[in-house]
Structure formats: structure tokens, C-alpha cells
Amino acid sequence: MKARHNAPLKSLNRPTAAFDRILTNITRETVAYLYDCPYLIADHLVAMEKISNFFGHIESWERTMMLIAGILFFWLIESFIPLFRFSYNKYRHAGLNIFFTLTTVVINFIFAYLIVKASDYTWTHKLGVLNIVKMPMWLYILLALMILDFISSWLIHWIQHKVKWMWKFHLIHHSDTFVDTTTANRHHPVESIFRAVFTLLAVLVAGSPIWVLFLYQFLSVLFAQFNHANFSFPKWLDNAMSWVIVSPDMHKVHHHYEQPLTDTNYGNIFSCWDRLFGTYVHISDVKALKYGIDTYPEETENNSLGKLLKIPFEEYRPPAGAKFSNPNPKA
């Protein structure tokens, strides 16, 4: 009888001992983490302080060099591993788009005084969403970036696709049939004014200090160059990224030359806005996409500086049965 009772007791002791070992290891790791926790928090605070100090004292020339470095970095990558092998003069194409990039820089410089003053005022008087309650630094930065990204990027982008006279300026960006990293800042000067105004609005709503704004602008430019670049990641990786950020394949859908895909995937940094507002579309084979805008298919129009500057002031060309196709095309 003893033999019959000892066997099940031994079988019960084995998993119990294993469980004890697992519990001991978990406890040991937890204690070690709690012991290190103050040091981890201190490191975290030091890192946040370094970020705020860097972007709080960044010079204009340093921000310009970051812009140039981003373009060169992604331009080199897409030159070696392009998604689409375009038959075009890459340097002439880059020169045209860099002209629009420079006009954007000039307009942002003009608006900089107002934006800095707005940031200082909201920060000093503790106005805006970020100043309602105290929060950890990491949450403060994340929330600030999300508010700035939503208003100054996603919202104004969506509005330009819905308001006809604004769309006439924005379609200059969409007219590029050779989308690459230089397309990121291919904005008509008037569109750059729209975006500067909404950046000012975003600062007022968020109540963000100037260093957070500069951090956002750095990331915004970097992500724009990244998701316009003419390369692609493995599909599984791109799909995973698109749950959090705007991946290259996600944004390429937005540059398809025909409706309704043109009016999807408006995001720049965070992909959650398109998912939240129902404008997200996934296309499995991005190589099936065709860039440009169907109303300006000729290179003499979509690749000419003079023509691109004049298009918004000319008679509107509505796509058949689609965007703003009404009886009064001059409105």
C-alpha cells in the first residue's frame, strides 16, 4: 500500500519543485529590478533632460543640417535598393523638389516668430492640454507629439483633400510621378502657409514648450522623408510598423494617381489617426500602384516649375465622377 501512495506523491512533488524554482527566479528578477529601479528612473530622467536641452538650444543651422542629412541618407538608400526603377533624371527631379523644400523653409522662418511667441505664452501661463495635469516626462512628450502630429499634419492634410481651393494647391504634391524622399517637402508655397498656420494652432492647443515643438518638427521631417522614400521593407515588417507609425508602403497608397486611394492614409508620424477616422487602407502589392495625379499626367506639366506654381490659379480639372466634379469647375 505504501508503494501505491508514494508514487503519486512523488509525481506531485516534481511539478511543485519546478514551480518553486520558477517562482524563485521570478522573485529574484523582481527584486533585482526593484533594486535597479531608482537607477533606471534616474537614467530615464537624464535622457529626457538631454533631449529637452538639445532641442531647447538647437540652432537654425543645425536644424537645416538635419534636414539635409535626412534627404541625403534616404536618397542614398533608395539609389541602391529602389522599390521602383524610374526612368528619369534623378538630379533634375531632386532639384525641382528641393526648390519647394527651400520655399517651405523660408515660410516656416517667417512664421517662426509667431510660433515661438505662442509657445512661450502658453508655457508661461500654463495653457493648453499638456498643462492640465502633471504627468511623467515620457507621457508628456508622447502626448505632445501626438497632438502636434494630429493638428499640424493629419488634420490640415485631410482638410486640403476636402476643400476644393486648398486641394488645388495640395495637388502639386500629388502631381509627382516619381515619388521619392525629395517629394516629402514638395509643397506649393501657399500650402506651406496652410501648414504653418496649423502648426501655430497645434502649439496653442497643446501648450507645448519650444523644445517639444522643435523635437516634433525634426521627427515630422524625418518621417516624411522616410515614408516617401523609394524603398520598401519586407511586407511583414512594414505591416507591423504600420500599426504604430506611418510606414513607407502605407503612405505610398496615398500617392496612387486615381481616386479613391488618393483620399486615404493621410498620416505622417502616427498611423492611429487614419485607423481612428476610417481613412486607413491597406494594399498588399504596392508595386501595382501608379504615382501622380490623373488630371496632370504629362511631364511637361507635372515636372515644370513654372507650371506647378501656376496650376492652383488655373481652371480646375476634376477627375471624371470624382473629386469636386461639379458644374462650376472655376470655383
Side-chain angles (χ1 to χ4, degrees):
M1 293 295 292
K2 289 183 180 180
R4 281 200 297 267
H5 288 292
N6 288 338
L9 286 174
K10 289 181 180 179
S11 64
L12 286 172
N13 286 336
R14 280 196 295 269
T16 301
F19 177 77
D20 287 343
R21 285 195 299 273
I22 293 172
L23 186 59
T24 300
N25 289 334
I26 292 174
T27 303
R28 186 184 297 115
E29 293 296 327
T30 303
V31 170
Y33 175 79
L34 291 175
Y35 177 80
D36 291 336
C37 197
Y39 302 100
L40 295 173
I41 293 173
D43 290 343
H44 165 77
L45 293 175
V46 169
M48 295 296 101
E49 186 69 21
K50 286 181 178 179
I51 292 173
S52 64
N53 283 336
F54 177 78
F55 285 98
H57 299 88
I58 192 170
E59 299 289 343
S60 296
W61 69 268
E62 292 177 307
R63 298 171 66 196
T64 302
M65 291 305 297
M66 287 179 178
L67 170 66
I68 295 171
I71 292 176
L72 290 176
F73 176 72
F74 292 118
W75 205 47
L76 286 173
I77 292 178
E78 65 185 17
S79 296
F80 288 105
I81 49 170
L83 175 65
F84 292 99
R85 297 190 177 276
F86 297 128
S87 297
Y88 73 125
N89 186 323
K90 190 173 178 70
Y91 298 97
R92 183 177 182 276
H93 174 261
L96 177 65
N97 288 346
I98 288 173
F99 168 83
F100 287 110
T101 301
L102 293 176
T103 62
T104 299
V105 170
V106 170
I107 289 168
N108 286 344
F109 180 78
I110 294 171
F111 273 84
Y113 177 80
L114 290 175
I115 293 172
V116 169
K117 285 296 182 182
S119 176
D120 288 343
Y121 183 84
T122 56
W123 176 248
T124 302
H125 294 82
K126 301 302 178 185
L127 302 174
V129 175
L130 296 174
N131 297 305
I132 294 175
V133 295
K134 289 186 177 181
M135 61 188 80
M137 181 62 82
W138 68 267
L139 181 58
Y140 181 90
I141 294 175
L142 177 61
L143 182 60
L145 293 176
M146 293 187 73
I147 294 172
L148 293 169
D149 181 58
F150 174 68
I151 297 175
S152 66
S153 185
W154 191 95
L155 183 59
I156 181 56
H157 194 179
W158 178 82
I159 290 173
Q160 288 182 98
H161 277 254
K162 301 303 177 184
V163 179
K164 182 178 177 180
W165 67 271
M166 298 178 80
W167 164 251
K168 292 172 71 175
F169 291 100
H170 182 56
L171 68 80
I172 306 308
H173 180 72
H174 280 268
S175 66
D176 196 344
T177 55
F178 308 115
V179 174
D180 63 16
T181 194
T182 67
T183 309
N185 288 306
R186 178 187 167 121
H187 300 305
H188 192 281
V190 176
E191 178 182 354
S192 297
I193 295 175
F194 300 156
R195 291 179 175 271
V197 170
F198 269 71
T199 299
L200 177 60
L201 175 62
V203 168
L204 292 172
V205 172
S208 61
I210 196 64
W211 69 267
V212 174
L213 174 64
F214 286 164
L215 171 62
Y216 162 72
Q217 288 181 328
F218 164 70
L219 292 174
S220 180
V221 170
L222 187 68
F223 269 84
Q225 294 168 345
F226 166 70
N227 55 46
H228 282 89
N230 182 32
F231 59 69
S232 185
F233 292 98
K235 183 56 63 177
W236 66 268
L237 179 57
D238 194 279
N239 289 345
M241 286 192 297
S242 69
W243 280 100
V244 181
I245 63 172
V246 177
S247 64
D249 284 4
M250 176 181 168
H251 191 71
K252 286 175 174 59
V253 176
H254 182 75
H255 278 274
H256 186 60
Y257 81 115
E258 284 184 327
Q259 297 288 327
L261 293 183
T262 310
D263 289 350
T264 63
N265 298 4
Y266 298 104
N268 182 39
I269 297 179
F270 298 105
S271 61
C272 58
W273 309 125
D274 284 303
R275 294 180 182 276
L276 181 63
F277 294 104
T279 54
Y280 173 77
V281 169
H282 173 75
I283 298 295
S284 298
D285 184 13
V286 293
K287 286 192 173 183
L289 298 172
K290 180 179 178 181
Y291 294 145
I293 199 77
D294 57 352
T295 51
Y296 290 92
E298 300 300 326
E299 191 170 348
T300 54
E301 293 182 314
N302 61 45
N303 204 27
S304 166
L305 176 60
K307 181 63 177 178
L308 290 172
L309 289 171
K310 292 188 296 184
I311 282 176
F313 306 101
E314 297 177 344
E315 183 174 324
Y316 178 64
R317 301 179 187 177
K323 200 177 206 51
F324 311 120
S325 54
N326 56 55
N328 185 23
K330 294 183 181 180

